[in-house]
Amino acid sequence: MSLDVAYSLEIEDFIDADKAYEFYWSGLITNKKAFICPGDSCNAQVTCANIDEETHNMRVVPHFRVYGEYGENCEVFNKIPLKILEVITSEGNNDKKSVDLSVVDSFFLARPDSYYDVKDKKNNIEEDVNEKRSYKSKSIEYNIKQTGFISSIYSVRTTVSRFLRYSADKTVGNRVINISGSSIPYPSFFKLIWEQDFESLPEHSLIYYGWAYVDRHENGYKVKFKKCLKNKSGVLLPVTLFIGDKLIEKYPIKKLVTKRISSISSISKPTAFVFIYGKPRLYKSPTTSREYINFDLYNLDMIDVNKDSPMPKKK
């Protein structure tokens, strides 16, 4: 049975691999082996594999792996689904949502203010573990592969990670992402930039992606996609965005962003595989009157920059 969550000994709470990845790069988690099994009365040691890798691809998606001995009554060891209910109380929201047969991830455009808050630690860690396990079994569902699970996502980076994981386990066809009440199949949520007609693009925002040039400027990085989009006259227009230094500086996971971009900018021809959530907008240069297309970026959670393409190869 796959582990979708584990108990972190550092933050003393249950956490999934995606959030553990973000907590590691924000400095809240420092040891990828400081986890234990989420099973009832089980203290088997768990590692979050690839939590320290700054890139995404099919081979290094963060995931939990048990390397200790299970307790004899552990549900995971005995291949018994972890205790669940038919409804889930979402974190920070008292509204109950029905569990559907498909698996739903909810994508939010802003994190809660308390996202990176860590609760005060107790002196008796063993007592705290047992108390939290009891709460877990009564109020929240953790086994996302056994039944439907409404999961909160706050970044393009996590969305890409989920997409890669679902593609690898061949469940992506049953996966749905919900944004502001609208549900979209995971494969339809990603759109490659490849000389499409700008006017024919969907009205709603999607995750656009493709290879791009990354150039250092005085106040940040200019990203220019290699492929263009066409205007209504069929003219190819450059597609760009700008990552400002001030935006990076105030980002909680700036360590991850700076490491990725610095490794990219150090190569002779700086190029990156970029994912950006948003709606491309048509602009006209005030100096040259030339048209171009730009993604307005106000939140670094809405972009993911990789040195290599993480996308699964089409067969």
Side-chain angles (χ1 to χ4, degrees):
M1 181 180 291
S2 174
L3 279 186
D4 296 306
V5 296
Y7 186 84
S8 168
L9 296 174
E10 291 186 281
I11 65 169
E12 298 184 4
D13 205 350
F14 291 95
I15 193 170
D16 64 31
D18 293 316
K19 192 169 185 178
Y21 182 85
E22 295 184 335
F23 273 27
Y24 175 84
W25 286 99
S26 67
L28 294 174
I29 287 177
T30 61
N31 185 354
K32 67 179 182 180
K33 294 185 177 181
F35 299 88
I36 59 174
C37 177
D40 189 30
S41 300
C42 180
N43 291 320
Q45 291 176 295
V46 174
T47 184
C48 191
N50 304 317
I51 195 176
D52 49 354
E53 297 286 343
E54 79 271 15
T55 59
H56 276 323
N57 63 51
M58 292 287 283
R59 293 174 295 280
V60 297
V61 172
H63 62 279
F64 289 119
R65 185 168 62 225
V66 177
Y67 67 96
E69 293 185 6
Y70 289 107
E72 61 179 27
N73 296 322
C74 175
E75 299 102 321
V76 178
F77 174 72
N78 292 294
K79 298 182 179 180
I80 300 171
L82 297 174
K83 296 181 178 114
I84 60 173
L85 295 179
E86 293 182 353
V87 294
I88 304 165
T89 302
S90 60
E91 183 177 345
N93 188 338
N94 292 325
D95 295 334
K96 293 184 177 180
K97 301 180 180 181
S98 298
V99 176
D100 193 76
L101 292 177
S102 61
V103 182
V104 180
D105 289 327
S106 291
F107 184 71
F108 296 92
L109 302 183
R111 298 176 189 267
D113 293 337
S114 60
Y115 185 85
Y116 289 103
D117 291 347
V118 176
K119 298 174 183 177
D120 293 335
K121 295 183 179 181
K122 297 182 180 181
N123 294 327
N124 190 332
I125 293 179
E126 184 65 29
E127 179 183 348
D128 191 30
V129 170
N130 292 333
E131 180 181 310
K132 287 182 179 293
R133 282 192 175 123
S134 175
Y135 172 76
K136 174 203 66 177
S137 66
K138 293 178 182 179
S139 64
I140 204 163
E141 196 271 279
Y142 280 104
N143 194 342
I144 68 176
K145 290 186 179 177
Q146 296 289 328
T147 67
F149 180 51
I150 298 175
S151 175
S152 298
I153 295 177
Y154 301 100
S155 71
V156 167
R157 179 177 51 255
T158 298
T159 309
V160 172
S161 178
R162 296 279 177 93
F163 177 76
L164 296 177
R165 188 178 306 148
Y166 299 158
S167 297
D169 65 19
K170 303 185 187 305
T171 64
V172 69
N174 295 327
R175 306 284 178 164
V176 176
I177 191 157
N178 184 280
I179 305 172
S180 302
S182 297
S183 294
I184 306 173
Y186 253 92
S188 300
F189 192 49
F190 291 81
K191 183 168 285 292
L192 176 66
I193 296 176
W194 194 272
E195 300 184 357
Q196 300 99 319
D197 291 327
F198 173 73
E199 299 289 342
S200 68
L201 296 176
E203 287 295 322
H204 55 274
S205 296
L206 295 172
I207 293 178
Y208 290 84
Y209 67 94
W211 284 103
Y213 301 104
V214 180
D215 294 317
R216 176 66 188 173
H217 285 241
E218 182 179 354
N219 299 318
Y221 297 88
K222 180 182 178 181
V223 178
K224 180 182 178 182
F225 285 93
K226 288 187 175 184
K227 291 296 180 179
C228 301
L229 294 174
K230 296 178 183 178
N231 66 10
K232 56 185 177 182
S233 299
V235 178
L236 292 174
L237 304 178
V239 182
T240 63
L241 62 97
F242 190 77
I243 305 174
D245 288 338
K246 290 183 178 179
L247 201 60
I248 295 174
E249 185 59 33
K250 67 181 182 181
Y251 189 53
I253 322 176
K254 62 182 178 182
K255 177 183 174 183
L256 174 61
V257 175
T258 53
K259 185 169 184 179
R260 286 189 181 184
I261 293 183
S262 62
S263 66
I264 291 166
S265 60
S266 65
I267 61 180
S268 57
K269 294 183 179 180
T271 56
F273 202 83
V274 178
F275 298 84
I276 174 79
Y277 174 79
K279 179 175 170 54
R281 301 185 185 279
L282 182 64
Y283 290 90
K284 182 177 287 188
S285 170
T287 55
T288 65
S289 296
R290 291 182 179 179
E291 290 183 328
Y292 66 97
I293 293 169
N294 192 71
F295 287 94
D296 299 325
L297 182 64
Y298 303 105
N299 178 357
L300 285 184
D301 278 334
M302 299 299 107
I303 190 171
D304 188 35
V305 179
N306 292 270
K307 194 172 184 178
D308 300 302
S309 168
M311 297 298 279
K313 294 181 179 179
K314 293 183 178 180
K315 296 182 179 180

mmCIF file of all heavy atoms in Angstrom, residues 77-104:
data_model
loop_
_atom_site.group_PDB
_atom_site.id
_atom_site.type_symbol
_atom_site.label_atom_id
_atom_site.label_comp_id
_atom_site.label_asym_id
_atom_site.label_seq_id
_atom_site.Cartn_x
_atom_site.Cartn_y
_atom_site.Cartn_z
ATOM 1 N N PHE A 77 0.854 -2.148 7.031
ATOM 2 C CA PHE A 77 1.512 -3.445 7.013
ATOM 3 C C PHE A 77 0.525 -4.565 6.684
ATOM 4 O O PHE A 77 0.835 -5.497 5.936
ATOM 5 C CB PHE A 77 2.171 -3.714 8.372
ATOM 6 C CG PHE A 77 2.768 -5.090 8.507
ATOM 7 C CD1 PHE A 77 3.929 -5.425 7.821
ATOM 8 C CD2 PHE A 77 2.169 -6.047 9.307
ATOM 9 C CE1 PHE A 77 4.469 -6.691 7.937
ATOM 10 C CE2 PHE A 77 2.710 -7.314 9.433
ATOM 11 C CZ PHE A 77 3.869 -7.637 8.751
ATOM 12 N N ASN A 78 -0.684 -4.479 7.233
ATOM 13 C CA ASN A 78 -1.699 -5.517 7.021
ATOM 14 C C ASN A 78 -2.557 -5.273 5.782
ATOM 15 O O ASN A 78 -3.550 -5.979 5.568
ATOM 16 C CB ASN A 78 -2.587 -5.631 8.263
ATOM 17 C CG ASN A 78 -1.836 -6.188 9.460
ATOM 18 O OD1 ASN A 78 -1.413 -7.340 9.463
ATOM 19 N ND2 ASN A 78 -1.627 -5.360 10.483
ATOM 20 N N LYS A 79 -2.187 -4.266 4.998
ATOM 21 C CA LYS A 79 -2.891 -3.940 3.755
ATOM 22 C C LYS A 79 -4.371 -3.666 3.995
ATOM 23 O O LYS A 79 -5.247 -4.090 3.236
ATOM 24 C CB LYS A 79 -2.698 -5.048 2.719
ATOM 25 C CG LYS A 79 -1.238 -5.232 2.323
ATOM 26 C CD LYS A 79 -1.071 -6.307 1.248
ATOM 27 C CE LYS A 79 0.406 -6.426 0.870
ATOM 28 N NZ LYS A 79 0.620 -7.456 -0.172
ATOM 29 N N ILE A 80 -4.632 -2.945 5.081
ATOM 30 C CA ILE A 80 -6.001 -2.528 5.417
ATOM 31 C C ILE A 80 -6.088 -1.024 5.177
ATOM 32 O O ILE A 80 -5.228 -0.276 5.640
ATOM 33 C CB ILE A 80 -6.332 -2.834 6.892
ATOM 34 C CG1 ILE A 80 -6.217 -4.341 7.161
ATOM 35 C CG2 ILE A 80 -7.723 -2.321 7.255
ATOM 36 C CD1 ILE A 80 -6.313 -4.692 8.635
ATOM 37 N N PRO A 81 -7.107 -0.536 4.432
ATOM 38 C CA PRO A 81 -7.214 0.913 4.197
ATOM 39 C C PRO A 81 -7.254 1.677 5.511
ATOM 40 O O PRO A 81 -7.880 1.244 6.486
ATOM 41 C CB PRO A 81 -8.537 1.063 3.431
ATOM 42 C CG PRO A 81 -8.731 -0.269 2.773
ATOM 43 C CD PRO A 81 -8.166 -1.288 3.750
ATOM 44 N N LEU A 82 -6.567 2.802 5.553
ATOM 45 C CA LEU A 82 -6.614 3.643 6.747
ATOM 46 C C LEU A 82 -8.044 4.069 7.010
ATOM 47 O O LEU A 82 -8.852 4.224 6.099
ATOM 48 C CB LEU A 82 -5.729 4.879 6.557
ATOM 49 C CG LEU A 82 -4.232 4.598 6.372
ATOM 50 C CD1 LEU A 82 -3.506 5.889 6.041
ATOM 51 C CD2 LEU A 82 -3.648 3.973 7.619
ATOM 52 N N LYS A 83 -8.391 4.284 8.259
ATOM 53 C CA LYS A 83 -9.755 4.622 8.641
ATOM 54 C C LYS A 83 -10.231 5.880 7.929
ATOM 55 O O LYS A 83 -9.553 6.883 7.917
ATOM 56 C CB LYS A 83 -9.833 4.809 10.153
ATOM 57 C CG LYS A 83 -9.520 3.548 10.948
ATOM 58 C CD LYS A 83 -9.648 3.812 12.424
ATOM 59 C CE LYS A 83 -9.375 2.523 13.184
ATOM 60 N NZ LYS A 83 -8.187 2.578 13.974
ATOM 61 N N ILE A 84 -11.415 5.812 7.339
ATOM 62 C CA ILE A 84 -11.942 6.956 6.593
ATOM 63 C C ILE A 84 -13.427 7.125 6.871
ATOM 64 O O ILE A 84 -14.083 6.238 7.399
ATOM 65 C CB ILE A 84 -11.745 6.776 5.071
ATOM 66 C CG1 ILE A 84 -12.474 5.521 4.604
ATOM 67 C CG2 ILE A 84 -10.282 6.744 4.693
ATOM 68 C CD1 ILE A 84 -12.482 5.335 3.110
ATOM 69 N N LEU A 85 -13.961 8.282 6.512
ATOM 70 C CA LEU A 85 -15.397 8.559 6.553
ATOM 71 C C LEU A 85 -15.857 8.893 5.144
ATOM 72 O O LEU A 85 -15.052 9.128 4.252
ATOM 73 C CB LEU A 85 -15.692 9.720 7.499
ATOM 74 C CG LEU A 85 -15.379 9.488 8.977
ATOM 75 C CD1 LEU A 85 -15.706 10.750 9.773
ATOM 76 C CD2 LEU A 85 -16.167 8.314 9.514
ATOM 77 N N GLU A 86 -17.145 8.957 4.937
ATOM 78 C CA GLU A 86 -17.667 9.229 3.601
ATOM 79 C C GLU A 86 -17.682 10.702 3.267
ATOM 80 O O GLU A 86 -17.956 11.097 2.147
ATOM 81 C CB GLU A 86 -19.092 8.666 3.475
ATOM 82 C CG GLU A 86 -19.131 7.142 3.522
ATOM 83 C CD GLU A 86 -20.531 6.596 3.360
ATOM 84 O OE1 GLU A 86 -21.471 7.419 3.349
ATOM 85 O OE2 GLU A 86 -20.686 5.382 3.243
ATOM 86 N N VAL A 87 -17.433 11.533 4.265
ATOM 87 C CA VAL A 87 -17.330 12.977 4.012
ATOM 88 C C VAL A 87 -16.034 13.473 4.609
ATOM 89 O O VAL A 87 -15.465 12.862 5.508
ATOM 90 C CB VAL A 87 -18.519 13.757 4.634
ATOM 91 C CG1 VAL A 87 -19.815 13.398 3.962
ATOM 92 C CG2 VAL A 87 -18.603 13.540 6.135
ATOM 93 N N ILE A 88 -15.565 14.585 4.090
ATOM 94 C CA ILE A 88 -14.304 15.165 4.546
ATOM 95 C C ILE A 88 -14.541 16.600 4.982
ATOM 96 O O ILE A 88 -15.201 17.354 4.290
ATOM 97 C CB ILE A 88 -13.273 15.165 3.416
ATOM 98 C CG1 ILE A 88 -13.096 13.747 2.880
ATOM 99 C CG2 ILE A 88 -11.947 15.727 3.873
ATOM 100 C CD1 ILE A 88 -12.385 13.719 1.558
ATOM 101 N N THR A 89 -14.017 16.948 6.136
ATOM 102 C CA THR A 89 -14.056 18.336 6.553
ATOM 103 C C THR A 89 -12.779 18.992 6.070
ATOM 104 O O THR A 89 -11.696 18.634 6.506
ATOM 105 C CB THR A 89 -14.149 18.436 8.085
ATOM 106 O OG1 THR A 89 -15.313 17.737 8.516
ATOM 107 C CG2 THR A 89 -14.229 19.904 8.501
ATOM 108 N N SER A 90 -12.893 19.895 5.137
ATOM 109 C CA SER A 90 -11.700 20.527 4.570
ATOM 110 C C SER A 90 -11.080 21.459 5.601
ATOM 111 O O SER A 90 -11.770 22.062 6.420
ATOM 112 C CB SER A 90 -12.045 21.305 3.296
ATOM 113 O OG SER A 90 -12.987 22.307 3.593
ATOM 114 N N GLU A 91 -9.756 21.578 5.556
ATOM 115 C CA GLU A 91 -9.015 22.377 6.536
ATOM 116 C C GLU A 91 -9.424 23.840 6.464
ATOM 117 O O GLU A 91 -9.458 24.447 5.406
ATOM 118 C CB GLU A 91 -7.516 22.251 6.257
ATOM 119 C CG GLU A 91 -6.657 22.977 7.263
ATOM 120 C CD GLU A 91 -5.191 22.762 6.997
ATOM 121 O OE1 GLU A 91 -4.863 21.849 6.246
ATOM 122 O OE2 GLU A 91 -4.392 23.533 7.538
ATOM 123 N N GLY A 92 -9.794 24.387 7.613
ATOM 124 C CA GLY A 92 -10.168 25.789 7.671
ATOM 125 C C GLY A 92 -11.564 26.069 7.158
ATOM 126 O O GLY A 92 -11.947 27.213 6.984
ATOM 127 N N ASN A 93 -12.355 25.027 6.920
ATOM 128 C CA ASN A 93 -13.693 25.216 6.358
ATOM 129 C C ASN A 93 -14.604 24.157 6.962
ATOM 130 O O ASN A 93 -14.302 22.973 6.892
ATOM 131 C CB ASN A 93 -13.648 25.089 4.834
ATOM 132 C CG ASN A 93 -14.975 25.465 4.184
ATOM 133 O OD1 ASN A 93 -16.019 25.432 4.822
ATOM 134 N ND2 ASN A 93 -14.925 25.808 2.919
ATOM 135 N N ASN A 94 -15.716 24.551 7.532
ATOM 136 C CA ASN A 94 -16.613 23.599 8.180
ATOM 137 C C ASN A 94 -17.605 22.962 7.225
ATOM 138 O O ASN A 94 -18.385 22.109 7.614
ATOM 139 C CB ASN A 94 -17.373 24.290 9.319
ATOM 140 C CG ASN A 94 -16.445 24.660 10.461
ATOM 141 O OD1 ASN A 94 -15.498 23.940 10.750
ATOM 142 N ND2 ASN A 94 -16.718 25.785 11.106
ATOM 143 N N ASP A 95 -17.607 23.392 5.936
ATOM 144 C CA ASP A 95 -18.527 22.806 4.975
ATOM 145 C C ASP A 95 -18.090 21.392 4.641
ATOM 146 O O ASP A 95 -16.930 21.145 4.323
ATOM 147 C CB ASP A 95 -18.563 23.628 3.681
ATOM 148 C CG ASP A 95 -19.137 25.002 3.928
ATOM 149 O OD1 ASP A 95 -19.922 25.136 4.891
ATOM 150 O OD2 ASP A 95 -18.796 25.920 3.163
ATOM 151 N N LYS A 96 -19.025 20.455 4.667
ATOM 152 C CA LYS A 96 -18.720 19.069 4.336
ATOM 153 C C LYS A 96 -18.918 18.833 2.848
ATOM 154 O O LYS A 96 -19.904 19.245 2.277
ATOM 155 C CB LYS A 96 -19.593 18.119 5.157
ATOM 156 C CG LYS A 96 -19.264 18.159 6.647
ATOM 157 C CD LYS A 96 -20.063 17.151 7.426
ATOM 158 C CE LYS A 96 -19.667 17.155 8.891
ATOM 159 N NZ LYS A 96 -20.434 16.185 9.677
ATOM 160 N N LYS A 97 -17.968 18.149 2.245
ATOM 161 C CA LYS A 97 -18.023 17.896 0.819
ATOM 162 C C LYS A 97 -18.111 16.396 0.583
ATOM 163 O O LYS A 97 -17.393 15.617 1.187
ATOM 164 C CB LYS A 97 -16.783 18.459 0.127
ATOM 165 C CG LYS A 97 -16.628 19.964 0.338
ATOM 166 C CD LYS A 97 -15.398 20.482 -0.355
ATOM 167 C CE LYS A 97 -15.256 21.982 -0.150
ATOM 168 N NZ LYS A 97 -14.075 22.540 -0.823
ATOM 169 N N SER A 98 -18.984 15.991 -0.310
ATOM 170 C CA SER A 98 -19.152 14.576 -0.594
ATOM 171 C C SER A 98 -17.945 14.031 -1.339
ATOM 172 O O SER A 98 -17.331 14.697 -2.149
ATOM 173 C CB SER A 98 -20.412 14.362 -1.446
ATOM 174 O OG SER A 98 -21.548 14.775 -0.739
ATOM 175 N N VAL A 99 -17.619 12.797 -1.062
ATOM 176 C CA VAL A 99 -16.529 12.130 -1.743
ATOM 177 C C VAL A 99 -17.056 11.551 -3.048
ATOM 178 O O VAL A 99 -18.017 10.801 -3.071
ATOM 179 C CB VAL A 99 -15.949 10.994 -0.862
ATOM 180 C CG1 VAL A 99 -14.883 10.246 -1.635
ATOM 181 C CG2 VAL A 99 -15.380 11.569 0.410
ATOM 182 N N ASP A 100 -16.422 11.899 -4.153
ATOM 183 C CA ASP A 100 -16.834 11.413 -5.462
ATOM 184 C C ASP A 100 -15.992 10.208 -5.835
ATOM 185 O O ASP A 100 -14.975 9.914 -5.218
ATOM 186 C CB ASP A 100 -16.648 12.530 -6.497
ATOM 187 C CG ASP A 100 -17.350 12.215 -7.804
ATOM 188 O OD1 ASP A 100 -18.582 12.349 -7.850
ATOM 189 O OD2 ASP A 100 -16.660 11.820 -8.744
ATOM 190 N N LEU A 101 -16.419 9.477 -6.847
ATOM 191 C CA LEU A 101 -15.659 8.322 -7.280
ATOM 192 C C LEU A 101 -14.330 8.724 -7.907
ATOM 193 O O LEU A 101 -13.359 7.990 -7.844
ATOM 194 C CB LEU A 101 -16.484 7.498 -8.286
ATOM 195 C CG LEU A 101 -17.717 6.817 -7.697
ATOM 196 C CD1 LEU A 101 -18.481 6.098 -8.796
ATOM 197 C CD2 LEU A 101 -17.341 5.846 -6.592
ATOM 198 N N SER A 102 -14.291 9.883 -8.540
ATOM 199 C CA SER A 102 -13.027 10.370 -9.066
ATOM 200 C C SER A 102 -12.291 11.117 -7.961
ATOM 201 O O SER A 102 -12.859 11.445 -6.930
ATOM 202 C CB SER A 102 -13.263 11.295 -10.262
ATOM 203 O OG SER A 102 -14.012 12.415 -9.869
ATOM 204 N N VAL A 103 -11.010 11.378 -8.187
ATOM 205 C CA VAL A 103 -10.199 12.024 -7.177
ATOM 206 C C VAL A 103 -10.051 13.495 -7.524
ATOM 207 O O VAL A 103 -9.615 13.843 -8.606
ATOM 208 C CB VAL A 103 -8.820 11.351 -7.068
ATOM 209 C CG1 VAL A 103 -7.991 12.005 -5.980
ATOM 210 C CG2 VAL A 103 -8.990 9.868 -6.773
ATOM 211 N N VAL A 104 -10.447 14.367 -6.604
ATOM 212 C CA VAL A 104 -10.505 15.800 -6.868
ATOM 213 C C VAL A 104 -9.430 16.534 -6.080
ATOM 214 O O VAL A 104 -9.312 16.377 -4.872
ATOM 215 C CB VAL A 104 -11.893 16.368 -6.496
ATOM 216 C CG1 VAL A 104 -11.930 17.870 -6.775
ATOM 217 C CG2 VAL A 104 -12.990 15.655 -7.254
#
